[in-house]
Amino acid sequence: MIHPNSTASYQDVLTELNGRHKMIFRAFRQTTSAELTDREVKDKLGLEDLNMVRPHITELVQSGHLREVGDKKCDV
């Protein structure tokens, strides 16, 4: 069961974010490990170009909404 405070906090974050930021944040939240490469986010969202996600991921990290958790080798 998810604690009500966690649900409220998640909703607060979503209201702070706009368009692409919100889509990317949700992609990470919907992944069980929450460890995705930029390419995996792009593919998960059905986007064609890495430049459609990279700057937004950087902004989400800089704003504290996401954090880097180490290195993950991209399969491509």
Side-chain angles (χ1 to χ4, degrees):
M1 182 173 164
I2 299 174
H3 193 278
N5 289 347
S6 297
T7 303
S9 177
Y10 176 67
Q11 294 303 323
D12 287 346
V13 168
L14 288 181
T15 58
E16 291 176 11
L17 303 177
N18 60 25
R20 186 73 44 87
H21 289 105
K22 191 179 289 190
M23 289 172 50
I24 291 170
F25 185 79
R26 282 186 173 147
F28 279 96
R29 292 291 300 202
Q30 294 171 352
T31 304
T32 53
S33 69
E35 295 178 6
L36 298 171
T37 64
D38 294 352
R39 185 174 306 278
E40 289 170 332
V41 172
K42 174 192 77 75
D43 293 343
K44 187 173 184 71
L45 296 176
L47 301 172
E48 296 180 18
D49 188 356
L50 280 171
N51 289 324
M52 297 176 88
V53 296
R54 280 188 176 144
H56 301 288
I57 291 173
T58 299
E59 291 166 358
L60 287 167
V61 169
Q62 290 174 343
S63 68
H65 290 95
L66 294 178
R67 64 183 170 94
E68 292 188 44
V69 294
D71 295 329
K72 181 178 178 182
K73 183 178 178 181
C74 182
D75 294 334
V76 176

